């Protein structure tokens, strides 16, 4: 999906996507058994604080998107007649007026409702928002050889399907990175065991590449449910590239549940979008194929 934006706003969107990539890897690392567990009260407080933040914010964003779509629907074109241009101009003025009447009170009420909960939520989770995760920095291993890097990633991907992931020689968090000199990008993958009472033999891996023109995120999380004979696997991806006149955004998400996580991963691979996401062809095992989109 291409979004037309100014150069400055496009760079802001790319920067925000980089933040999402780092936040996703930090969050995965925080789920490992070696990380300090999140207390029950903190989870409860976070959940309660998110309600007055998400609901009004989602309503405001939905209203802004509707206004944007209406404005695009009545945008004038070069081959339009004078009458058509006048009608479209009048329609745009009316849309701006109605949008101002609706959006201004909506934005003000949104700020009043969510500002204090948002500040409290930020203070409680300030380490997460500030991208402070020493477990990633401590466990990071930099690999120079491209072949060795691909081999390590394939080994980690194969381990996802293991039912009893109790290899004592493997740490709870593994961070592998490589500098892609040809694209001036950093390729990094975070692999972590998920220590959660609701997930058994859980494991996830998130791989990102980022430079000044492109950010790509690919990941997969799989595990078994402890009290049920059921496993799950979920694959996700997000890519943001600077293009001429805006940004190109692509995202995907696929999830499956089966008798165990191995079967869930196999079922996930049966889906064509998931295959493209997880396979060797542009998936998590060859994310470096997504080069930077150069701005002309």
């Amino acid at each position: 999906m291409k979004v037309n934006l100014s150069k400055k706003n496009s760079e802001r969107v790319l920067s925000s996507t980089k933040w999402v990539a780092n936040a996703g890897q930090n969050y995965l690392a925080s789920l490992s058994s070696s990380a300090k567990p999140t207390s029950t009260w903190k989870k409860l407080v976070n959940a309660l604080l998110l309600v007055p933040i998400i609901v009004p914010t989602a309503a405001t964003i939905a209203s802004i998107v509707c206004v944007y779509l209406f404005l695009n629907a009545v945008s004038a074109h070069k081959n339009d007649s004078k009458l058509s241009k006048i009608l479209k101009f009048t329609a745009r003025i009316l849309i701006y007026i109605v949008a101002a009447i609706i959006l201004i009170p909506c934005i003000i009420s949104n700020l009043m409702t969510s500002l204090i909960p948002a500040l409290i939520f930020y203070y409680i989770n300030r380490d997460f928002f500030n991208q402070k995760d020493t477990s990633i920095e401590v466990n990071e291993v930099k690999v120079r050889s491209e072949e060795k890097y691909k081999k390590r990633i394939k080994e980690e991907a194969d381990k996802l399907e293991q039912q009893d992931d109790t290899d004592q020689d493997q740490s709870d968090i593994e961070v592998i990175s490589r500098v892609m000199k040809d694209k001036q990008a950093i390729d990094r993958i975070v692999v972590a065991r998920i220590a959660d009472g609701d997930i058994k033999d859980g494991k996830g891996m998130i791989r990102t590449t980022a430079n000044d023109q492109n950010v790509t995120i690919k990941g997969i999380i799989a595990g078994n449910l402890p009290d049920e004979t059921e496993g799950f696997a979920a694959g996700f991806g997000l890519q943001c590239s600077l293009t001429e006149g805006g940004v190109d955004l692509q995202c995907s998400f696929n999830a499956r549940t089966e008798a165990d996580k191995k079967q869930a991963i196999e079922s996930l691979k049966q889906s064509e979008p998931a295959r493209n996401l997880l396979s060797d062809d542009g998936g998590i095992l060859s994310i470096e194929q997504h080069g930077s989109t150069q701005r002309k």
Side-chain angles (χ1 to χ4, degrees):
M1 177 183 68
K2 184 176 180 180
V3 181
N4 295 324
L5 296 170
S6 65
K7 180 180 178 180
K8 189 173 183 179
N9 287 333
S10 298
E11 291 173 349
R12 287 174 178 171
V13 172
L14 185 70
S15 178
S16 299
T17 308
K18 289 181 180 179
W19 184 91
V20 171
N22 291 331
Q25 290 189 328
N26 286 341
Y27 179 71
L28 178 63
S30 69
L31 296 176
S32 69
S33 58
S34 62
K36 185 179 179 180
T38 304
S39 61
T40 304
W41 74 267
K42 185 176 180 180
K43 292 180 180 178
L44 179 60
V45 171
N46 284 338
L48 293 175
L49 290 173
L50 285 174
V51 174
I53 298 174
I54 294 176
V55 175
T57 303
T60 303
I61 293 175
S63 301
I64 294 174
V65 170
C66 288
V67 172
Y68 178 78
L69 293 176
F70 280 124
L71 289 174
N72 276 348
V74 295
S75 59
H77 302 284
K78 292 182 179 180
N79 56 350
D80 288 343
S81 62
K82 289 185 177 180
L83 178 60
S84 176
K85 290 181 179 179
I86 293 173
L87 292 175
K88 287 183 177 181
F89 176 77
T90 304
R92 289 177 70 88
I93 294 297
L94 292 174
I95 291 173
Y96 279 123
I97 294 173
V98 174
I101 295 173
I102 296 176
L103 286 179
I104 292 176
C106 187
I107 293 173
I108 293 174
S109 63
N110 185 11
L111 290 174
M112 294 176 61
T113 305
S114 60
L115 180 59
I116 295 178
L119 291 175
I120 298 174
F121 183 83
Y122 174 80
Y123 180 78
I124 294 175
N125 303 278
R126 58 190 180 279
D127 289 344
F128 174 79
F129 286 102
N130 293 330
Q131 304 293 332
K132 292 181 179 178
D133 195 307
T134 56
S135 59
I136 287 183
E137 299 174 358
V138 171
N139 291 278
E140 185 169 8
V141 177
K142 296 181 180 180
V143 180
R144 294 185 178 181
S145 170
E146 181 178 356
E147 293 300 322
K148 184 178 179 181
Y149 185 74
K150 289 182 178 180
K151 182 180 178 181
R152 287 288 305 274
I153 293 175
K154 182 136 189 355
E155 290 174 352
E156 297 298 335
D158 292 339
K159 291 178 182 178
L160 284 174
E161 300 185 18
Q162 294 180 6
Q163 288 289 50
D164 186 13
D165 188 16
T166 57
D167 186 359
Q168 299 299 324
D169 296 330
Q170 184 180 15
S171 62
D172 293 325
I173 302 175
E174 289 194 71
V175 184
I176 314 165
S177 65
R178 181 175 69 92
V179 177
M180 302 165 60
K181 295 182 179 179
D182 55 335
K183 297 172 184 175
Q184 297 182 341
I186 296 177
D187 187 348
R188 185 173 72 175
I189 184 166
V190 175
V191 184
R193 293 177 180 173
I194 300 175
D196 192 297
D198 298 327
I199 300 175
K200 180 182 178 182
D201 298 328
K203 196 171 184 179
M205 56 191 299
I206 297 179
R207 186 179 182 189
T208 66
T209 55
N211 58 17
D212 59 352
Q213 296 290 320
N214 179 77
V215 179
T216 307
I217 311 166
K218 300 281 183 175
I220 180 171
I221 295 176
N224 295 314
L225 302 179
D227 299 330
E228 302 178 26
T229 56
E230 189 176 22
F232 73 92
F236 52 90
L238 174 64
Q239 183 174 0
C240 177
S241 303
L242 295 183
T243 61
E244 184 178 3
V247 294
D248 184 25
L249 293 171
Q250 299 179 24
C251 60
S252 58
F253 178 82
N254 291 273
R256 294 290 186 276
T257 57
E258 293 291 343
D260 53 55
K261 72 174 183 180
K262 182 176 181 179
Q263 294 183 33
I265 293 175
E266 291 299 324
S267 178
L268 191 66
K269 292 179 181 178
Q270 300 304 314
S271 167
E272 184 175 354
R275 263 202 318 273
N276 295 336
L277 177 68
L278 303 174
S279 68
D280 290 344
D281 185 13
I284 194 170
L285 299 182
S286 57
I287 196 173
E288 63 272 8
Q289 292 181 6
H290 296 288
S292 62
T293 303
Q294 298 296 331
R295 184 187 294 271
K296 297 179 181 179

